[in-house]
Amino acid sequence: MKKFNIRKVLDGLTAVSSSSSSSAALQPGNRENDVIQETLQSEHFQLCKTVRHGFPYQPSAMAFDPVQKILAIGTQNGALRLFGRAGVECYCQHESGSAVIQLQFLVNEGALVTALADDSLHLWNLRQKIPAILHSLKFSRERITFCHLPFQSKWLYIGTERGNIHIVNVESFSLSGYVIMWNKAIELSSKTHPGPVVHISDNPMDEGKLLIGFECGFVVLWDLKSKKADYRYSYDEAIHSVAWHHEGKLFVCSHSDGTLTTWNVRSPAKPAQIITPHGKQPKDGKKPEPCKPILKVEYKTARAGEPFMILSGGLSYDTVGRRACLTVMHGKSTAVLEMDYPIVDFLALCETPYPNDYQEPYAVVVLLEKDLVVIDLAQPGYPSFENPYPLTIHESPVTCCEYFADCPAELIPALYSVGSRQKRQGYSKKKWPISGGNWGQGAQSYPEIIITGHADGSVKFWDASALMLQVLYKLKTAKVFEKARNKEEKPSTDIVDEDPFAIQSLAWCPESRLLCVAGVSAHVIVYRFSKQEITTEEVQLLEVRMQCELNEVDSPDVGGDQASAVTTPGASSSPQSSVPQTHPSTSSNNSSDGLRDNVPCLRVRNTPLKQSPGYQVELVIQLVWVSGEPPQQITSLAVNSAYGLVAFGNGNGLAVVDYLQKTLLLNMGTAELYGSSDPHQRQPRSPRKARQPSGAKMSRKFSMTADQKDDARDNSFSRSRSSSVASIDKESREVISSLHFCDCLSRKCEVTAVASLWLGTSVGTMLAISLSVPSTPELRLQQSVGISFCGSVVRLKGGIMRMALMDSTGSLQPPAYECWYDLNAPEEEKERTRRRRPASPPSTQENQDSHYAVVCSEKQAKVVAMPSQNCVFEHNITENSFVLRADVVVMPAGICIACFCTVNPCLQCNYCAEAQTWNGSSRTFCFSNLGQALYLTSPTEIQRLTYSQETCDNLQEMLGELFTPVETPEAPNRGFFKGLFGGGAQSLDREDLFGELAAGKASRSLAQHIPGPGSMEGMKGAASGVVGELARARIALDERGQKLGELEERTAAMMASADSFSKHAHDVMLKYKDKKWYQL
């Protein structure tokens, strides 16, 4: 977990900083800021990461603890993800960032060994909620290729690239002097170097016999006691893996030519059997044609049936384009299971952890490049288990994200009820086998929902309560449109090369359950939530012609002398100049000069649409081509259920649509919204200056690679300083960057609050529009909404990111909303539930302010008193960077402005804290109430964090526990005859062989021991500063407790010895009690 350095703290919105960098200023003669009592202080904020959800990005290794039932996955960037039962997850990170090449559990010990590509070993302590490294060992002269830790052993075998094997004591993480050199292992049996060690394992029935596999195809059975090779096995093809039979009499090797060789331990001359599972057997008895390498094989036995042989790879070379497969061979049957992605690794889950007993496999965990699959081996057909982890975030690349905390309590059950009908069938009926760990105790009491928009047009709702994540419901917006069957049928009006249905932004009202999404093909879809299934005969469509011939905005310095405005009327000079089109479209496809005109980018389906319970389409709004110029992508979106309006803007202007009456209320260029008070100098341009050819397209791809640099200033899809602002630097056009509905006093002369629409632009201007909404539902459907322009309210540096309304006490004033009602329910039920919830409209006396507008831009934040429009607080957030995401959020002790900036980048929650994040986080970073935030830390993972001190204090209680006390199963019974004649498993005292007394010390130059931060030495080294004494006292207490525990154990042993001595003395006394002295 990374630590964040807090650089600067502002003690509230109303504080005035004397620092020149903060540039806080008060307007003379105004004392509005003294009215609100500030409750937020710096001690209310603390930044820390909480949990990480999603599939591990670029996985490279996997391990399973069969007793604790915990799965560990390592990645190519050094991350470590641990999974237990549903809801028990943990994320750790190696500081070096090197790839994890192998994982080894200390079974039922609460510890894990990781081997990295930088030739380092690390021992993790899993007995604490946030695992920590106890020891590290860095090899300097040899490269690690394979690791093996026998069950219930403290000696770890390390194979290297040079072919040598070293032994590490996992308790002290020190090297033993016992080394198996490659030349000693092969001696004269091979004239060349055998290559790296690719396999190490001990004989299940004899711990003193070590099987060593070299890459060239050479296998050695090494006697640890005599320090020499018992048998050597040679094959022409390279070895990839080796698996033992549990009786220790034979083993199986997988090779690079797709063959499996079975060897009898005592017959090294030739394999007992050679098979090619996927090779074509020639009729003349010749050798089968070579196949692809078998990368891994596992050989598992069952007490009451045939053994299982499970392998990955080995397909024939003529199966071009076939997906990766897992092959399960059971007796005479062979099942080939196709996977959606390449296989990284797989593990067979068995009933016993002991290698010398019947394994009884019951499942196979298959780690794919982008998925985790668990297959049930006990049921016919080998069905897969239903995965309870949220690993499908990346099912289609995430393009936008929203986070809602403290939602209405009935929302999650409602979404779950409609989403449960979408689940696939055919899963195994058994419980999920990875079931270790326990849930956290201190769960948050408020519901949280995350909404993700995806490149394929889907929208997913997730339950994010209590630090967990579970998919609730999935909406497919692409069903509204006609899909091209092939490239030839693809419409020529597309403005993107790929993913034309991708979600660009979304607006959601939790109270009314109204959802509005905007796509990259310049379309907006309004959805209502219903529990009834309906069939829509014709999808309601509204086509909007947004056109603006103004360009090149010269923005004067904020606060300076405003230059005279030059306004050139555009083509859409009237609010109603763009007439809505009906569906199907009857407009012409070509203008007089032969260019595309009045055609949308996508075709809405004209057949009946069956809509399942859940979100159902209410209205589709599409922007159309204008005289050969494609529509601008939508940069801002807002919806309000109380007014029945949806507003959206782009580089051409603003549009307001009445989704109840399905009419266009307003369609104006940005300059026309200013009226005669336009503060900007606008240079007229040629009407065709920036027009693209009729076939021109905007290139944008959502598929992300590991080395992709999602630069903040140059993004082919969206400008990174806001997830909803399109890239417009080159055209310098004034874009509508933010929208907000509210009930407020927008004019200076008003005394009663009215419905209003605030809009912010990319040049830092906040404008207000007054709305006249009919008072009753009946009138609302008969009369149109009136619109009047109130002009500019305030100007800031940089584009407007977020706007909000506070009342006179400083509390956040949410927009008015209409409570949810089912539009398809019976009329009496609709009337009972339908009611409007106003936002406590402020009232005022003349010349007296009653509420405040909070405005945040890419550079500044201002608080403006309304209706006087006096600025009561101003703060320069940043000078040399800009804000990527901002929001006005509710904290337990008050409200604040939270900003995500590009300083490395930095996170500002009325303070700055440096936080290293993934470059793609700018598009998906989002804040929520109560100090919660999240971002996409990789293309497949969501990282949640908190900036609330209260949540940080309770984090330990909220996190789940990975390790739980479980008794290790009893060892298998050797039987009477095996115990009598020595036919059972042979144990080995490895301490006598590998200990310092017997083997000596290893070379110091071979590896360096590094105490980890979780070890006693690391804790001592980290205990410094103000908390040093407390940490040292705690360490001393732990050491004292450990010594007391050891003393107690020794005392108990002495008492047992004394009891034994007393018993023997009593027996001797009874034996010689009645004997004379001469009988002794």
Side-chain angles (χ1 to χ4, degrees):
M1 182 173 290
K2 294 193 176 184
K3 297 181 180 178
F4 301 98
N5 178 27
I6 297 178
R7 295 194 285 112
K8 182 178 179 182
V9 176
L10 302 178
D11 288 335
L13 278 171
T14 59
V16 182
S17 175
S18 60
S19 171
S20 61
S21 63
S22 64
S23 303
L26 283 174
Q27 297 293 336
N30 292 314
R31 298 186 57 83
E32 289 89 343
N33 62 313
D34 296 333
V35 176
I36 300 175
Q37 181 66 37
E38 184 58 75
T39 56
L40 278 176
Q41 302 297 328
S42 60
E43 56 266 20
H44 291 117
F45 297 98
Q46 176 65 42
L47 182 65
C48 69
K49 294 180 180 179
T50 53
V51 290
R52 180 171 294 197
H53 301 296
F55 183 77
Y57 184 54
Q58 295 180 335
S60 56
M62 178 174 61
F64 181 72
D65 188 326
V67 179
Q68 287 289 320
K69 308 289 186 183
I70 296 173
L71 182 72
I73 297 176
T75 70
Q76 294 182 20
N77 59 4
L80 180 63
R81 295 284 298 277
L82 297 143
F83 297 90
R85 65 177 61 190
V88 178
E89 298 180 34
C90 185
Y91 162 77
C92 310
Q93 177 69 46
H94 295 90
E95 290 186 2
S96 65
S98 297
V100 179
I101 60 174
Q102 200 169 352
L103 300 169
Q104 287 283 317
F105 270 104
L106 277 69
V107 176
N108 205 26
E109 295 292 335
L112 176 71
V113 176
T114 57
L116 306 188
D118 63 353
D119 309 310
S120 62
L121 296 171
H122 305 273
L123 178 64
W124 290 85
N125 179 17
L126 307 183
R127 290 175 176 259
Q128 53 196 58
K129 290 192 173 183
I130 302 177
I133 294 177
L134 295 173
H135 300 282
S136 297
L137 198 63
K138 182 72 168 66
F139 282 74
S140 56
R141 296 194 316 203
E142 296 197 53
R143 309 218 58 185
I144 299 173
T145 58
F146 196 86
C147 301
H148 171 62
L149 180 65
F151 178 53
Q152 292 183 329
S153 171
K154 69 175 183 178
W155 298 98
L156 175 70
Y157 300 105
I158 306 295
T160 67
E161 193 175 35
R162 293 184 181 180
N164 303 323
I165 294 180
H166 302 275
I167 302 170
V168 176
N169 186 326
V170 293
E171 292 182 350
S172 60
F173 243 54
S174 59
L175 274 173
S176 168
Y178 192 110
V179 180
I180 304 175
M181 305 300 292
W182 69 271
N183 54 353
K184 183 72 172 175
I186 67 170
E187 288 186 346
L188 300 177
S189 58
S190 176
K191 297 180 181 180
T192 59
H193 192 280
V197 175
V198 296
H199 177 80
I200 306 172
S201 62
D202 48 351
N203 189 313
M205 286 295 180
D206 190 350
E207 296 176 351
K209 308 293 184 181
L210 195 67
L211 194 69
I212 307 167
F214 296 95
E215 187 181 53
C216 69
F218 212 77
V219 180
V220 175
L221 186 65
W222 182 264
D223 190 321
L224 292 171
K225 293 180 180 179
S226 62
K227 299 183 181 180
K228 65 178 183 180
D230 282 352
Y231 301 102
R232 297 180 178 92
Y233 315 85
S234 179
Y235 193 70
D236 296 336
E237 297 294 335
I239 289 178
H240 285 275
S241 69
V242 182
W244 278 102
H245 186 279
H246 83 277
E247 292 180 347
K249 295 179 180 180
L250 55 87
F251 59 89
V252 179
C253 300
S254 68
H255 299 276
S256 57
D257 63 344
T259 60
L260 294 173
T261 57
T262 303
W263 296 83
N264 191 314
V265 172
R266 299 182 182 275
S267 302
K270 64 176 183 179
Q273 185 184 31
I274 302 176
I275 61 172
T276 307
H278 296 285
K280 295 180 180 179
Q281 300 292 338
K283 295 181 180 179
D284 54 3
K286 293 183 179 179
K287 186 178 180 181
E289 295 180 1
C291 296
K292 298 177 183 178
I294 297 179
L295 302 177
K296 186 176 181 179
V297 62
E298 288 204 357
Y299 192 19
K300 303 297 180 183
T301 56
R303 194 179 303 274
E306 296 287 342
F308 284 87
M309 194 175 292
I310 308 166
L311 55 101
S312 63
L315 296 178
S316 176
Y317 280 105
D318 59 5
T319 56
V320 179
R322 188 173 180 179
R323 293 185 293 182
C325 295
L326 184 79
T327 304
V328 181
M329 302 171 65
H330 185 216
K332 296 182 180 180
S333 67
T334 300
V336 181
L337 309 176
E338 285 195 352
M339 301 293 161
D340 293 333
Y341 305 101
I343 297 174
V344 177
D345 195 4
F346 73 88
L347 292 171
L349 307 187
C350 303
E351 296 288 351
T352 176
Y354 294 93
N356 58 354
D357 193 10
Y358 286 97
Q359 302 299 293
E360 304 292 348
Y362 59 88
V364 180
V365 181
V366 188
L367 178 63
L368 308 178
E369 284 189 357
K370 294 184 179 180
D371 200 2
L372 181 71
V373 179
V374 182
I375 298 167
D376 188 354
L377 293 178
Q379 293 190 26
Y382 304 129
S384 61
F385 289 87
E386 185 176 6
N387 199 321
Y389 307 134
L391 303 182
T392 59
I393 294 172
H394 63 287
E395 186 177 23
S396 175
V398 177
T399 55
C400 68
C401 192
E402 295 294 339
Y403 190 8
F404 299 87
D406 201 12
C407 300
E410 66 276 4
L411 253 182
I412 291 178
L415 289 169
Y416 181 80
S417 65
V418 296
S420 60
R421 307 179 187 182
Q422 300 176 334
K423 290 187 177 181
R424 286 175 46 196
Q425 303 297 323
Y427 289 112
S428 172
K429 298 179 180 180
K430 294 185 179 180
K431 292 183 179 179
W432 180 251
I434 306 169
S435 56
N438 285 323
W439 294 307
Q441 301 298 322
Q444 293 169 335
S445 58
Y446 50 86
E448 301 170 78
I449 292 178
I450 296 172
I451 305 178
T452 54
H454 298 265
D456 63 352
S458 60
V459 178
K460 290 184 180 179
F461 292 77
W462 305 81
D463 178 9
S465 307
L467 295 185
M468 297 185 185
L469 193 68
Q470 180 185 9
V471 66
L472 293 172
Y473 173 72
K474 180 179 179 180
L475 170 68
K476 297 180 180 179
T477 65
K479 295 169 68 174
V480 175
F481 303 101
E482 294 182 358
K483 291 185 179 180
R485 298 180 181 177
N486 48 51
K487 293 184 178 180
E488 287 73 18
E489 293 185 9
K490 189 175 182 180
S492 59
T493 53
D494 283 358
I495 60 174
V496 290
D497 288 334
E498 294 184 4
D499 305 321
F501 309 112
I503 306 300
Q504 192 168 14
S505 60
L506 53 89
W508 188 51
C509 177
E511 289 79 14
S512 64
R513 305 182 190 177
L514 190 69
L515 175 67
C516 191
V517 298
V520 295
S521 296
H523 62 273
V524 176
I525 310 177
V526 182
Y527 288 92
R528 286 181 182 268
F529 186 86
S530 175
K531 295 181 179 180
Q532 313 295 324
E533 181 179 305
I534 63 170
T535 299
T536 303
E537 295 297 329
E538 188 177 23
V539 176
Q540 296 292 322
L541 171 64
L542 186 67
E543 294 182 354
V544 179
R545 181 185 177 94
M546 293 187 75
Q547 181 180 4
C548 181
E549 296 294 332
L550 298 174
N551 199 18
E552 279 92 25
V553 179
D554 295 334
S555 177
D557 294 336
V558 177
D561 297 334
Q562 297 183 1
S564 59
V566 179
T567 305
T568 303
S572 56
S573 57
S574 168
Q576 298 293 340
S577 63
S578 191
V579 180
Q581 304 293 328
T582 59
H583 176 59
S585 175
T586 58
S587 58
S588 62
N589 290 345
N590 296 294
S591 61
S592 59
D593 53 2
L595 300 175
R596 287 191 185 87
D597 192 50
N598 281 357
V599 290
C601 301
L602 301 173
R603 288 195 292 264
V604 175
R605 61 184 295 171
N606 52 15
T607 57
L609 176 63
K610 183 179 179 180
Q611 303 196 69
S612 302
Y615 276 99
Q616 300 170 351
V617 61
E618 172 81 4
L619 176 66
V620 178
I621 307 166
Q622 288 185 288
L623 302 186
V624 298
W625 287 64
V626 178
S627 302
E629 187 172 347
Q632 293 285 317
Q633 290 188 349
I634 294 166
T635 58
S636 55
L637 179 68
V639 65
N640 188 278
S641 58
Y643 311 151
L645 302 177
V646 57
F648 56 92
N650 59 12
N652 285 336
L654 171 71
V656 180
V657 172
D658 184 342
Y659 66 80
L660 296 178
Q661 297 186 19
K662 314 295 188 294
T663 58
L664 179 67
L665 296 178
L666 177 68
N667 179 18
M668 295 190 71
T670 310
E672 297 166 314
L673 298 173
Y674 288 93
S676 60
S677 60
D678 190 352
H680 307 295
Q681 290 183 344
R682 302 179 190 271
Q683 303 297 328
R685 63 160 183 162
S686 169
R688 297 289 175 87
K689 179 180 177 181
R691 284 181 184 173
Q692 302 177 9
S694 60
K697 295 185 179 182
M698 300 171 62
S699 176
R700 182 196 58 77
K701 295 182 179 181
F702 283 107
S703 55
M704 292 166 277
T705 59
D707 55 352
Q708 177 183 2
K709 301 299 180 183
D710 192 3
D711 186 74
R713 294 185 180 273
D714 184 18
N715 191 322
S716 59
F717 163 55
S718 64
R719 191 180 179 189
S720 295
R721 49 180 84 176
S722 171
S723 62
S724 60
V725 179
S727 179
I728 47 85
D729 284 340
K730 293 182 179 179
E731 294 190 4
S732 301
R733 171 180 304 199
E734 187 175 12
V735 173
I736 306 298
S737 59
S738 181
L739 295 167
H740 181 70
F741 284 103
C742 61
D743 285 358
C744 68
L745 306 168
S746 298
R747 289 190 175 90
K748 294 184 179 181
C749 58
E750 288 180 340
V751 294
T752 303
V754 296
S756 303
L757 172 63
W758 290 350
L759 57 139
T761 71
S762 58
V763 297
T765 304
M766 173 185 165
L767 301 164
I769 296 177
S770 180
L771 307 172
S772 176
V773 182
S775 56
T776 63
E778 293 77 15
L779 294 176
R780 176 64 185 85
L781 296 176
Q782 298 171 3
Q783 301 177 5
S784 61
V785 177
I787 295 178
S788 59
F789 301 94
C790 304
S792 176
V793 176
V794 66
R795 294 177 56 209
L796 290 80
K797 295 178 183 177
I800 303 294
M801 305 292 296
R802 187 66 65 180
M803 298 169 289
L805 182 69
M806 291 192 306
D807 61 16
S808 58
T809 64
S811 300
L812 188 65
Q813 195 69 30
Y817 62 87
E818 186 178 57
C819 288
W820 174 77
Y821 67 96
D822 197 334
L823 192 64
N824 303 317
E827 288 297 327
E828 58 272 11
E829 185 176 339
K830 275 194 281 189
E831 292 299 325
R832 186 169 63 251
T833 58
R834 185 176 180 180
R835 57 188 184 278
R836 183 176 182 271
R837 293 288 179 88
S840 302
S843 59
T844 181
Q845 299 177 2
E846 194 171 354
N847 299 325
Q848 182 178 351
D849 295 326
S850 63
H851 58 286
Y852 303 90
V854 182
V855 190
C856 182
S857 73
E858 295 173 323
K859 299 284 186 179
Q860 284 183 316
K862 288 187 178 181
V863 178
V864 180
M866 302 292 282
S868 67
Q869 300 183 6
N870 292 326
C871 179
V872 298
F873 176 74
E874 176 183 334
H875 174 64
N876 286 347
I877 299 172
T878 178
E879 294 291 344
N880 56 0
S881 63
F882 50 86
V883 176
L884 293 170
R885 187 73 183 246
D887 207 345
V888 180
V889 295
V890 177
M891 298 288 288
I895 69 169
C896 69
I897 299 177
C899 304
F900 179 59
C901 302
T902 58
V903 182
N904 290 326
C906 78
L907 174 67
Q908 296 193 2
C909 310
N910 262 356
Y911 67 87
C912 298
E914 295 177 1
Q916 296 295 329
T917 58
W918 178 56
N919 289 327
S921 63
S922 56
R923 266 191 302 112
T924 55
F925 198 104
C926 51
F927 294 98
S928 187
N929 290 331
L930 304 174
Q932 308 299 323
L934 64 83
Y935 61 92
L936 207 68
T937 186
S938 75
T940 63
E941 296 170 290
I942 285 179
Q943 177 66 58
R944 294 169 66 178
L945 52 90
T946 182
Y947 46 94
S948 166
Q949 181 66 58
E950 180 182 352
T951 305
C952 287
D953 293 340
N954 299 328
L955 184 60
Q956 282 287 340
E957 296 181 4
M958 296 163 62
L959 293 175
E961 292 180 327
L962 287 169
F963 180 81
T964 54
V966 179
E967 289 189 8
T968 303
E970 293 185 1
N973 190 1
R974 296 173 63 185
F976 173 76
F977 290 102
K978 286 187 177 181
L980 182 62
F981 298 106
Q986 302 295 317
S987 61
L988 173 71
D989 190 351
R990 294 183 176 92
E991 185 69 35
D992 291 342
L993 286 175
F994 307 144
E996 187 175 332
L997 294 177
K1001 292 185 178 180
S1003 173
R1004 292 185 178 181
S1005 60
L1006 182 61
Q1008 178 188 2
H1009 177 260
I1010 305 170
S1015 66
M1016 211 55 89
E1017 295 88 346
M1019 292 174 65
K1020 290 177 180 177
S1024 58
V1026 179
V1027 297
E1029 292 299 327
L1030 180 60
R1032 279 190 286 271
R1034 184 174 181 178
I1035 294 170
L1037 186 61
D1038 290 343
E1039 290 178 342
R1040 182 172 178 268
Q1042 184 176 355
K1043 292 178 179 178
L1044 287 174
E1046 294 175 356
L1047 179 61
E1048 185 178 355
E1049 291 177 1
R1050 287 199 296 268
T1051 303
M1054 290 175 63
M1055 290 178 64
S1057 177
D1059 291 341
S1060 176
F1061 179 77
S1062 175
K1063 182 180 178 182
H1064 286 298
H1066 184 69
D1067 291 342
V1068 171
M1069 184 269 294
L1070 293 177
K1071 182 178 179 181
Y1072 297 104
K1073 175 181 176 184
D1074 299 327
K1075 291 186 179 182
K1076 304 297 182 180
W1077 62 270
Y1078 52 83
Q1079 292 176 326
L1080 296 177

